[in-house]
Amino acid sequence: MPGGLDHDLRLIAVHPAVRAMARTQDVEGGVTVIIEIDLGLGSRFLARERGENGVRPVEDVTLRFPPGYPAVGPFVRLRPDFKRNLPHMLPAEADLPPAPCVIDGPASDFIARRGMAAFVDQIVGWLNKAAHDVLIDPNQGWEPIRRDHDEVGFVADPDHLRSLARRDGGGHALQATSFTLGGEGGRFRGVILDRPQLGNRPLLQADLGTGGVPSMAVVVFPKKASDGAPVIHDSYDVDAVRTVADVFAAARRYGSNEFLAGQMNLVRLRLARERQPFLLWIILFARRPMRIRDQDSDLEMIAYVAPVQEPKDAEEGSAATVFPARHHDAVTRSLLQRMSDRNASERPQWTLIGAGSLGSKMALHLARQGDAPDLVLDRATMLPHNYARHALLPAPLGSEESGLSKVDCAAFVLKAELLASAAEALGQKCEAVLLDVARADAERLKILQGDGRCFVLDATASDHVLERLCATDVVGARPRLASASLLGAGAVGRLLLEGSGSNPDGLEAEALSLALIERDAALARLATQLGGRAVAIGQGCVSLTATMSDARLSAMAAPLCDQLTAYLDDGLPKGGELVLGALEPDGLSRTFRRLPVKRFRRLTCTGGLVRASLSSDLDCHVQGPTALRGRMIRRDGRLIGVSTDPAPDAGLAFLQDIGWIVGSHEEARSLGAKADAMTSQTGTCVLVWREECGWRGMLRTMKLDGTEERLDLVEVEERM
Amino acid sequence: MAPRVTHFKVGNGDQTLFVLDSGRTLLVDCNIRTATKDETFPDVAAQLRTRLKRDAKGRPYVDAFLLTHPDQDHCRGLREHFHLGPLDEWDEEADKIVIREMWSSPIVFRRASKKHALCDDAEAWRQEARRRVSKFRSDGFCSEGDRIQIFGEDEDGKTDDLGAILVPRGARFSKINGERDTTFVGTLIAPAPPGDEADEEMRSKNNSSVIVNLKLASGYQSDAARYLLGGDAEVGIWEAIWDEFEDNTDVLVYDVLIAPHHCSWHSLSWDSWSKKGEDAVVSPKARKALSQTRDGSRIISSSKEIRDDDSDPPCIRAKREYVGIVGKANFECLADDAGDEPVEFDVKSSGPARVAVSAAAVVSTYASSAAAKPFSHG
C-alpha cells in the first residue's frame, strides 16, 4: 500500500460527489479504485439521463495509484466507451480507456499542494464541463489540437510567423535549421528561422546540433471564403495526419490547401534541382472561433515534419510519412514578458553605462523580463577574472575556427559587446559602444540622447564617470540619471535617481547618500569595513576590486532591479530618490529603504565656474542631534552640502561650519585665510555670504603652492 | 461561481435568495421567526447573512428585495433584520441588511382598511416604500438605498406618474438596483390592477401577490433556468392567468415552481379540502397554468411537513396534484430535507442542480491536510 494512500482514499470516499468506491489491489503493487461520481447535472439533463457528449449523470472513474504514490500521482481513466475526441484529454493509446486532463502539471504536485478532495473536485469539474460541452472555455481560449503520437519539437517565433499572414491568407517558404539529438537514430529537432534575426542564431545549432540536416519550412494560412468572411475551423479534432496526403486534406479543412499546393510546388522544384533529400517542416495555420489558449491570436499553429527525398513525396496524394511537430516559442521579448508576469505593452528604453559585474547582473535581470537596455557603453574588455561575478558565462565565440577554448575566446572581448550579444540572444535589440565616459567629450556623449529612454543607469561606481555625466555640458543633453553601486564589498547597495530637471543631479544624490550613511553608525560601518583589494590576476597584474561572492553581489543587485522595473512600469517619480540596502547582522537578511530627495538650492557664481548645492534634506531622513555634514566634489570647484538644519538659511551654517566663509562682506575678507583650507585641487575657492540684498560671493583663484593669485568679487545667482 | 438559488426552511412561509450570474442578489420574501422556549427554528437570518456580500462601508446588502405580498409569513423579521430608512442612518452596531432596491406590489398605495390590515412588518415595508416613492417623485431619481420598483399598476391612476420605476404587468424587466443586468429577465405576470368591488375583494391580500417568472442565465446560456414565483395567489388568479396566457404559455414555463401559498389546495381549487375531501375538484385552468414544465422541472413546497390529513396549507391533495405534474422525484417539501441548512440549487446551463454539502465543509471537518499550500518554485 503506497504511503498515505489509506488517508487519501478515505477523503475520496467522503467527497460529496462520490457515491460509491470499489478498491482493488494491483498486481504491480499499486492500488486501483473505481469511484462513482454524481456530477450534479441540471434538471433537464437528469430528465434525459444524458448530458452533452453522452456524459451520464453518474460516471464511473478509475483512479490507479502507482506504487510510487504520492511521489507519482494517480492515473485517471474514464469508462472505455467515453467519447474520445474531446478537448482537454490526455494522449492515449486506442486500447486504453480515455484519460481526462484534469489539471495542468503533475497530479502529485497538485495533490500535495491542494489535497485529495480538490483533486476529486477537478475530476468532477472536468466531467461537468464535458456534460455541458464547455470543455473549451472562451475565457481560457481554444484548446490546441491533440496528438496521440510522439511529436518532434521545433522552435519558432509565433508572432513573426503569424505576421506573415495576409488578409486573404497566403503561403511562404522559410529557412529552417534541423539537427538530431541523441546521435544516430536520434530525434529531429528544428529551428524555423527567417525572422529579423535576434536570438536563436547559430548558437542553437552549434550547441545542440550533433548533425545538421538540410531543411526548409513552408507556412500556409487560411484563405477567405467566397463571401469574404474568414474561413474558421470550429470543430475540435484529434490529429490523425500520417502522410503528406493527410496534410493536404487537413489544409483543405482549414482553408489553406491552395497555398499549400503552391508552396509544395517549390519543394518539388528544389528536390528536382538539388536531388538531395531534406527535412520539410510544414506549418498549417487554422483559424479558430476564439483566441488560442494562452495566446493572443485565433490562428492555431499545426505543424508537421516530413523527410522528403524526391519530388513525388511532395505531391498532393503522396503517401510519404509525416510526423506531428510540437512548436515551442523562440526566445522572444513577449515570451520573457509572459514568463515574468509582465504584460506585453511597450515600455520605455534605458541605457547602461558600465557592463561590469553589477551592470551585467542588472542588465540581464531586466533583459530576462523583456527589458534589456537598448544601449550599453563600456570601455573595458572581458578578462578571465571577471567571470567570478560577471553575469555572462564564457561563450563559444569562434571557438571552432580558432581552436581556442571557450574561456580563452571569451577573454579580451569587449564587455559591452558580450552583454549586447546576450541581450540579442534573449530576443532584444541592444547596441554596444566602446566608450570611456569619464573622458568623452560632450559631442560623443550625445549618444545618450534618445526620445524613448526613461533613464541612463551608471553602474560603473566611478566618481569620474558620475562627475562627467553631471557636468554642465552633458547634464542637459541626456535622460535622467540613475546610478547603482555597492559599498562594503556588497554589504550596502545604492540606487540613486536624479530628480526632474536634474535637481538633485547624480552628484547631489551621491552626496546626500554618503551623508546619510555617515549619520547611521551601523550603516557606515558596513559601508567602510571592507574596501578595495588588489587581487593578482596574472603575471605582474592585479585587479583593484572589492572582493565578494557572486551570490552576495546578486542578492543586492536583484532588489535594485525591481526598483528599476517600477520606474519602467510606472514612470519616474518627479523628485529624486535614494534606495539604500543594507546587509543585516544575520548575514542573510537585507533591508531596503526608499527615500525621496528634495530639490537642492543652488548657488552659481558668475561664469559658472563655481557651483554650490545646498540641502537640508538630511533632516528628513536621520534622527539625533543637529550636526552638519558635507561633501565637496573636487572637480571644477563644486561644493555640495547637506545639513540637518531645517532653517531656510541652512546652507549658511553649513558653509560656516566647513570653513566656507559666510557672513558680512567684511567678515568674508577677514576670514579669507580660513578659506584656504578648503581650496580645491583646481586651485579655486569660493566664498559666499549673505547680505540684505541677497547672496554675494568671492572667487579666489590660488596657485597650487597655496599662495594667492587673484581674488574677485562675483555675483551669486540663487536658483532652485 | 455558478448562480445559486437558496430556499430557506421557514415553515409555512417563503424566503428565497437568488444569487445571479452577475453576482447580484435578489431576496424574495422573508420569514425570520424568533425562537421561543418551546419552539426553535433554523437560524435563517444567520444563514442569509453568510450568503450576502458587504459593501465598501461594511454594510451587508441585497441588491433587491421582492415582497410578493404583505402577509406576515412573507415579511416577518423585516424590521428587526433589515435597515429601513435613508442609507446614511445605517447603524454599524445594529448591522442590519441594506435593501438597495425594493421590489414592491402597489399595495403601498392602498390605505389600511379591514380588507388590507397589515402586520407591523408589512406596515414598515409600506412606509419605507412610500418614502422611496416620495423621494423619486420629488427628485426624479433615486440613489442606492432609496431605489424602488413598483410591480404592477394600481387603481385610479395612482401609479401613472411613476414612469421609470413602474414595471407594468406583462412587461419584461432586467433592471436591478438601477442597472440593467444581462443575467436575468423577469416577466411580471400579476398582480393585475383591481377592477370593480367584487374584483377588488377577490384580489385582496393573497391574491394581490406579485407573480413573476425569472429567467436566469448561467455562463453563456441565457435561459438556463426559469423560476415561477406566485406568492400566495389562489385559484382565481391562476385561472385568470391561464385565460390570458393560454396562447402564450412561454411566460408560465418553469424549471422550478415554488408551490403557491405553501402548497395550498386553494391555489388549485375553489372547493374546500377540509370540507369536501376527495370530492374537491381541481380547476383545470389553474392546473394548466401551473403545469408548464420543462424536462426535469421541480416543484418546491416552502411549507411545514405535508401530512396526510385535512390541513391546508400545506395540503396533501395539492401535493398529489403537483406530483402528478412533475413526478414524485421532482417534488420536494423543504420540511422533509434533513437538518437546518437551506436547500440550494446551482443554476447550470442544463438547469438547476441540487447542491450537495460542499466538499470544503466535508474536508475541513475530516482532515486538515487539505489546507492549500503555497505554490513553490524551484
Side-chain angles (χ1 to χ4, degrees), chain A residues 661 664-675 687 698 700:
Chain A
I661 299 161
S664 67
H665 189 247
E666 288 68 27
E667 286 171 336
R669 286 186 178 281
S670 65
L671 293 172
K674 192 175 179 184
L687 313 177
M698 179 183 293
R700 187 174 191 179

Side-chain angles (χ1 to χ4, degrees), chain B residues 8-220:
Chain B
F8 298 89
K9 294 172 182 170
V10 292
N12 268 14
D14 276 313
Q15 182 169 317
T16 311
L17 178 69
F18 292 81
V19 180
L20 305 175
D21 209 10
S22 62
R24 292 190 176 94
T25 47
L26 163 66
L27 181 66
V28 180
D29 295 335
C30 70
N31 187 27
I32 305 173
R33 296 168 292 178
T34 307
T36 63
K37 265 198 291 188
D38 303 324
E39 202 173 11
T40 59
F41 308 109
D43 188 355
V44 295
Q47 292 167 353
L48 174 63
R49 282 174 171 277
T50 61
R51 286 162 173 80
L52 298 182
K53 291 184 282 193
R54 289 179 180 264
D55 64 17
K57 294 186 175 175
R59 301 175 294 212
Y61 67 89
V62 290
D63 287 288
F65 186 139
L66 166 62
L67 180 64
T68 58
H69 66 292
D71 264 3
Q72 189 158 37
D73 54 351
H74 291 255
C75 61
R76 183 181 278 116
L78 180 79
R79 288 167 302 151
E80 184 179 347
H81 296 280
F82 292 84
H83 172 72
L84 303 173
L87 201 50
D88 56 12
E89 293 177 6
W90 183 83
D91 177 33
E92 186 174 356
E93 194 172 335
D95 196 30
K96 291 184 179 179
I97 299 167
V98 170
I99 302 170
R100 288 181 158 181
E101 182 172 80
M102 299 173 81
W103 290 3
S104 178
S105 80
I107 195 80
V108 295
F109 301 105
R110 311 276 172 81
R111 276 180 300 212
S113 68
K114 285 182 181 176
K115 291 175 185 173
H116 298 123
L118 297 177
C119 65
D120 289 345
D121 281 316
E123 181 57 33
W125 174 274
R126 194 168 77 104
Q127 286 180 15
E128 174 66 4
R130 289 173 77 92
R131 180 188 74 78
R132 295 186 182 206
V133 170
S134 296
K135 187 152 182 63
F136 173 78
R137 279 181 166 139
S138 66
D139 298 350
F141 71 95
C142 283
S143 304
E144 196 166 278
D146 292 330
R147 292 197 177 102
I148 185 167
Q149 291 193 68
I150 300 297
F151 279 31
E153 306 91 330
D154 200 13
E155 61 189 355
D156 303 333
K158 288 177 183 170
T159 52
D160 288 356
D161 63 335
L162 295 183
I165 63 168
L166 177 69
V167 179
R169 193 175 67 89
R172 293 182 172 203
F173 58 97
S174 288
K175 274 178 73 175
I176 180 169
N177 190 27
E179 290 185 27
R180 186 166 182 274
D181 189 319
T182 58
T183 65
F184 89 100
V185 177
T187 303
L188 182 64
I189 300 169
D196 55 25
E197 196 171 331
D199 190 48
E200 167 75 349
E201 178 68 22
M202 194 277 281
R203 292 179 188 278
S204 64
K205 292 281 286 185
N206 292 343
N207 288 331
S208 69
S209 289
V210 171
I211 300 177
V212 291
N213 191 321
L214 291 176
K215 183 161 72 175
L216 307 178
S218 178
Y220 299 98

Side-chain angles (χ1 to χ4, degrees), chain A residues 453-482:
Chain A
R453 284 194 191 128
C454 181
F455 57 82
V456 172
L457 176 67
D458 171 21
T460 61
S462 160
D463 290 342
H464 300 296
V465 170
L466 186 59
E467 286 182 30
R468 185 69 193 106
L469 290 170
C470 294
T472 50
D473 60 340
V474 177
V475 73
R478 58 161 174 78
R480 279 168 72 176
L481 179 66

Side-chain angles (χ1 to χ4, degrees), chain A residues 240-274:
Chain A
V241 168
R242 301 286 180 274
T243 65
V244 169
D246 293 339
V247 175
F248 272 96
R252 195 170 300 114
R253 291 195 296 276
Y254 305 147
S256 58
N257 56 315
E258 294 169 19
F259 304 121
L260 179 63
Q263 296 303 317
M264 292 299 257
N265 282 338
L266 297 176
V267 172
R268 286 199 297 278
L269 283 173
R270 175 174 165 178
L271 284 164
R273 186 177 65 242
E274 298 180 4

Side-chain angles (χ1 to χ4, degrees), chain A residues 111 114 407 500 586:
Chain A
I111 292 169
R114 302 274 303 277
V407 175
S500 57
D586 63 8

Side-chain angles (χ1 to χ4, degrees), chain A residues 617-655:
Chain A
D617 207 23
L618 191 62
D619 184 57
C620 304
H621 305 303
V622 297
Q623 301 294 323
T626 299
L628 302 170
R629 290 288 183 272
R631 275 287 175 271
M632 186 173 76
I633 308 301
R634 297 176 299 178
R635 191 179 177 99
D636 69 13
R638 181 174 177 187
L639 171 77
I640 296 175
V642 288
S643 148
T644 56
D645 189 343
D649 286 339
L652 302 180
F654 166 71
L655 291 169

